[in-house]
Structure formats: structure tokens, C-alpha cells
Amino acid sequence: MTKIRKIQLNEREMPTQWYNIQADMPNPLLPLLHPATKEPVGPSDLEPLFPLALIKQEMSTERYIDIPDQVLDLYRLYRPTPLHRAYNLEKMLDSPAKIYYKNESVSPPGSHKPNTAIPQAYYNYKQGVKKMTTETGAGQWGSALSFATNFFGIECKVFMVKVSFHQKPYRKTMMNLWNGQVIASPSEQTNAGRMFLAEDPDCPGSLGVAISEAIEVAAMNEDTKYSLGSVLNHVLLHQTIIGLESLKQLEMTGDFPDLVIGPFGGGSNFGGLAFPFLRYNFSDGKQTRCIAVESASCPKLTRGKFEYDFGDTAGMTPLIPMYTLGHKFIPPSIHAGGLRYHGAGAIVSQLLKDKLVEARSVEQADSFRAAMMFSRAEGMIPAPETAHAIAQVITEALTAREEGVAKTILFNFSGHGLLDMGAYEEYLEKDK
Ligand SMILES: *Cc1c(COP(=O)(O)O)cnc(C)c1O
């Protein structure tokens, strides 16, 4: 029998609504709090930063939200994305597990991030916004937002974490190609940046610091809005296109996952893949285990505290109820820049607190070992972030072998690592 390695949907089969898990969570989210008054924030508190449509989505409890036609049209540049069966990896591990991965690396910027960058740019455009600011770690989010804003004639200013700015110079070029402007953070352009530089001129930067800079620029300029690539509810909402497509694709195979696994930075690719499956746990008695995989050097889910904390280092955002290592935490300069964030988004935090999802942490060396194995088995070279999920997939597939059970595992291949050769080179050198 012919092995079907890729399960494809055609463009007409792409879902036309996002799934909002807020409609089905057993315990609703705690509110965001105003940093000064400690009162719940209302829509008007967020208006300087975000367009109204996104604020509405942030707080919505409607189960399905229509994807605008213009967004669907741009999604079709790279969606639907293929679902692959990792036959070679299964064989290499000699595991009875069936391993599937959703390939989000086929988008032009190379990760899942345009799934939210496109609608965010669209809703800003609809409200007449001319300029947007944002932060980026490894550069994937900055690339995605530059790619998206360019279609709508919006200027995009990206504060890029300084250590990544130097580690991944081609990401800057990519953003420049799509008309994005890139500034190494901390920078001299903002009060927050100057403050961090005064404390430590060699500060490697962090997502928390870059967010402070980007928010400051948006808050001080009437014509500028801010955009975040993860953590917030509307970002996770947009990413559910990943899980909704996967559901349709798996249906074509007759399999349903026992395990859904994604790397975890702020929660967007994990939530995007897992939430449409969790819905069946809530409403259909299914018992799919959903596992978020974080970096052991930034372990907010496995070692952080659930409490109200700021989303940025300078303390400018509302207080978010989340698992956090503290907003002053500056993570070590690991290669998986997208996992270097001190907190977890509110939805995944609440689900973890309620024991409805699970979390694991993976050491950098183990993630690279897994990435190398995957590259040799399946050919695809994962982003260092994605490699964390792959390490956990391998652990689970080996457990399945020990237990002799043919589990179905689905994971998110959140991005490729073709612009991360510096990191791979270093790993191979050390491994000699
Ligand atoms: C940004 C990124 C992540 C982590 O961010 P989430 O919001 O948690 O998804 C993971 N993988 C890749 C490839 C990324 O670009």
C-alpha cells in the first residue's frame, strides 16, 4: 500500500472561522488589571495600543469568530498547510506510535506567526492605522509582521532583542525586504531602552525589554499602534486555524491524537494547535493530553508561579494573571529566542492551573540532539524552538515503545531553522 506522507486540504477546504476557547473554558479567565488602580481594565484602557476589533476579540466569549475575506485571501498565500506523517522517525525510534506533524514552516516568513500577523495588520488597516511597532526575539515575529503590514501599506518598526540581532543577521534583511525597520533593543530611541542601557551597557536584551520599548513608542504616538506576536487571547484565537485544519486532516486518516504537543514561548502555536482538540475534551469526553514544551532555561510553566504580573520588563502593560518567573527575569541567551519570555499567556496559564493541559521543560542540548535526529529522519530542519517539542515527541514515542501501545502523537512543526545555521554550527562543533 502507498504510504500517504502528507495529508493536504485544498484551498476551498480551509476553515473560515477561528475557534475561541474562552467560550468553553470550565473556569473563565481572571480579568487584566490596571497597573495603577488594580481595577479590571476596560476596552478603553487598551485603545491607545490596539484597534477596537482586536480588543473585542481579546474579551470575546463567542465560540466561533468569522475570518474576514481579505485575511482568508492572504492566508491562501501559504494555507492550508500540510499535515505530515513522520514515518521515518517512527521507524528510526522503532516505536509503534503514529507521529504526525502540522507543518507551519511553509509560510513565507517560515513559521506559524503570520497566522496572527495578517489579521492584526488587517484590523489596524481597517481602523486607519498607519504605523505599527512590535518586538521580536529570534526575528520570526518581526518578519511575520513586516510581511503582513507590507500588504496593507502600514509602516512597521521592530525592536529586536540585541542578542538575536547579532546571532541572526539575515532575519533583519528579511524584515527590510518586506519594508520593516529593525532596531536592536535595548536602544537609545526610548526612555525604557535608555534606562536598561544605563543599568547595563552590555544588556543582551530580552522580549520583556523590547516589548517595553515598542509599547512606549505606540503609547506616545497618536498614529501608531502596538502589536504582540504571542501571549494575548486574540493572538491564540487567530492561531486556532492550525488546529482546525489539523482536525479536518486527521479526520481523513481516521486517527485522533492521544497526545498534542507544541513548543511554548507565550502560548500561541501550542494553543493554536491544541485548543480545537481540547474542545473535544470539554464537550465530547475525549481525553487528549496536550503538552506545552518550554525551555529549561526559561521555565515559567514548570517552575514559575501563577500570579498577576506585567507582560513587559518596565511594567507598562496591564497586570496579567499568568505563570511567570517575574517580569524582571532576563533569560539566558539560548538559541531558541522565541522561548525567551518570562510569562505564559492567560488562557494557557488558567488551563494549566486547572490541570487541563500539561507542561514539560527541555534542556537546550537535548533539543538540538532531537533536531538533528529529526533532520536526518524526515529531512526537515526545525527552528530551535520547534526542536523543544520534537525532543518531547521522541520521549513520548519511546515511552509508547516501552509500553507497547500505538499512541497517536500530533505536534506542531512551528517553524524551520534555515536561518539558524549559526546555532546548528555551534552545536555540531561542540558535538565533535
Ligand atoms: C515564536 C515561535 C515559537 C514560540 O512562540 P509561541 O507564541 O509560544 O508559539 C515557537 N516556534 C517558533 C518557530 C516561533 O517562531
Side-chain angles (χ1 to χ4, degrees):
M1 208 172 73
T2 316
K3 278 191 207 150
I4 304 295
R5 286 187 185 267
K6 293 189 304 305
I7 299 102
Q8 314 258 26
L9 297 174
N10 70 43
E11 292 184 14
R12 264 178 246 100
E13 292 169 309
M14 193 167 74
T16 56
Q17 295 182 310
W18 294 299
Y19 167 60
N20 182 10
I21 196 170
Q22 288 197 68
D24 293 315
M25 289 172 71
N27 288 316
L29 294 179
L30 299 172
L32 300 179
L33 299 183
H34 193 282
T37 65
K38 303 279 189 308
E39 293 293 324
V41 300
S44 62
D45 294 308
L46 298 173
E47 271 178 57
L49 297 183
F50 303 106
L52 276 171
L54 291 175
I55 297 170
K56 223 173 119 201
Q57 290 181 356
E58 188 67 18
M59 305 185 167
S60 169
T61 51
E62 227 175 291
R63 183 168 291 119
Y64 287 100
I65 294 178
D66 288 339
I67 306 176
D69 285 341
Q70 245 178 303
V71 173
L72 286 171
D73 183 49
L74 288 170
Y75 272 179
R76 283 190 209 104
L77 289 171
Y78 62 95
R79 304 206 73 85
T81 64
L83 179 76
H84 299 240
R85 173 89 184 261
Y87 282 111
N88 297 3
L89 182 66
E90 293 169 15
K91 195 163 166 212
M92 188 184 266
L93 297 171
D94 189 25
S95 170
K98 293 181 182 176
I99 303 174
Y100 289 95
Y101 64 97
K102 181 67 166 158
N103 186 2
E104 291 297 306
S105 79
V106 298
S107 76
S111 78
H112 63 287
K113 291 204 169 75
N115 300 334
T116 184
I118 293 169
Q120 289 198 47
Y122 167 80
Y123 290 119
N124 275 284
Y125 162 79
K126 287 303 259 188
Q127 199 173 301
V129 173
K130 298 282 184 276
K131 295 183 193 170
M132 290 172 72
T133 61
T134 196
E135 70 293 327
T136 197
Q140 281 128 328
W141 171 241
S143 315
L145 194 65
S146 302
F147 161 81
T149 48
N150 184 53
F151 292 118
F152 295 101
I154 296 173
E155 267 178 48
C156 184
K157 187 180 232 180
V158 181
F159 289 91
M160 182 169 187
V161 176
K162 196 174 276 170
V163 50
S164 299
F165 185 88
H166 295 299
Q167 273 173 351
K168 309 189 188 210
Y170 292 136
R171 278 284 167 191
K172 172 176 174 285
T173 309
M174 197 180 213
M175 292 184 250
N176 292 156
L177 270 173
W178 285 318
N179 269 324
Q181 186 195 343
V182 189
I183 298 136
S185 163
S187 78
E188 293 286 350
Q189 295 203 359
T190 64
N191 291 328
R194 286 187 290 272
M195 188 183 81
F196 290 115
L197 286 173
E199 273 172 29
D200 175 9
D202 299 321
C203 178
S206 71
L207 280 171
V209 170
I211 294 173
S212 298
E213 291 205 89
I215 289 188
E216 185 181 317
V217 173
M220 309 268 261
N221 293 283
E222 194 71 50
D223 63 349
T224 307
K225 298 266 185 231
Y226 167 70
S227 167
L228 189 61
S230 181
V231 180
L232 297 177
N233 307 337
H234 66 266
V235 178
L236 276 62
L237 171 78
H238 302 153
Q239 293 294 354
T240 59
I241 186 86
I242 304 172
L244 293 165
E245 280 182 8
S246 304
L247 264 171
K248 283 193 166 190
Q249 287 162 311
L250 277 173
E251 207 174 290
M252 291 157 67
T253 69
D255 288 322
F256 197 88
D258 300 295
L259 282 166
V260 174
I261 297 175
F264 192 95
S268 78
N269 88 84
F270 167 74
L273 179 67
F275 292 172
F277 291 93
L278 271 177
R279 169 153 199 233
Y280 289 86
N281 288 7
F282 298 153
S283 68
D284 222 40
K286 290 259 197 264
Q287 295 189 331
T288 304
R289 288 174 56 207
C290 298
I291 306 178
V293 188
E294 62 185 6
S295 157
S297 65
C298 197
K300 59 263 183 174
L301 295 175
T302 54
R303 306 182 68 180
K305 274 204 215 113
F306 184 90
E307 61 190 16
Y308 271 104
D309 195 10
F310 293 106
D312 70 314
T313 309
M316 293 195 287
T317 68
L319 289 159
I320 307 171
M322 62 179 178
Y323 279 94
T324 173
L325 295 162
H327 62 284
K328 301 273 187 202
F329 180 81
I330 304 244
S333 307
I334 54 165
H335 290 294
L339 307 188
R340 292 180 75 240
Y341 185 64
H342 66 274
I347 296 181
V348 175
S349 290
Q350 185 67 46
L351 293 171
L352 182 68
K353 186 162 173 280
D354 293 338
K355 300 194 162 46
L356 299 167
V357 298
E358 300 173 38
R360 299 285 185 279
S361 71
V362 163
E363 298 286 345
Q364 175 163 270
D366 294 330
S367 74
F368 276 109
R369 201 169 306 121
M372 200 171 71
M373 201 167 178
F374 191 80
S375 311
R376 291 178 181 172
E378 296 294 322
M380 314 274 263
I381 300 171
E385 292 83 2
T386 311
H388 287 70
I390 297 175
Q392 187 63 31
V393 168
I394 292 174
T395 302
E396 298 291 345
L398 292 175
T399 306
R401 180 174 78 184
E402 268 163 43
E403 294 172 351
V405 279
K407 277 183 201 151
T408 298
I409 304 174
L410 167 66
F411 79 93
N412 208 349
F413 192 85
S414 54
H416 66 63
L418 298 181
L419 292 178
D420 298 274
M421 287 304 134
Y424 279 107
E425 186 180 22
E426 210 175 280
Y427 172 72
L428 291 173
E429 285 299 317
K430 268 198 215 127
D431 206 40
K432 266 191 191 146

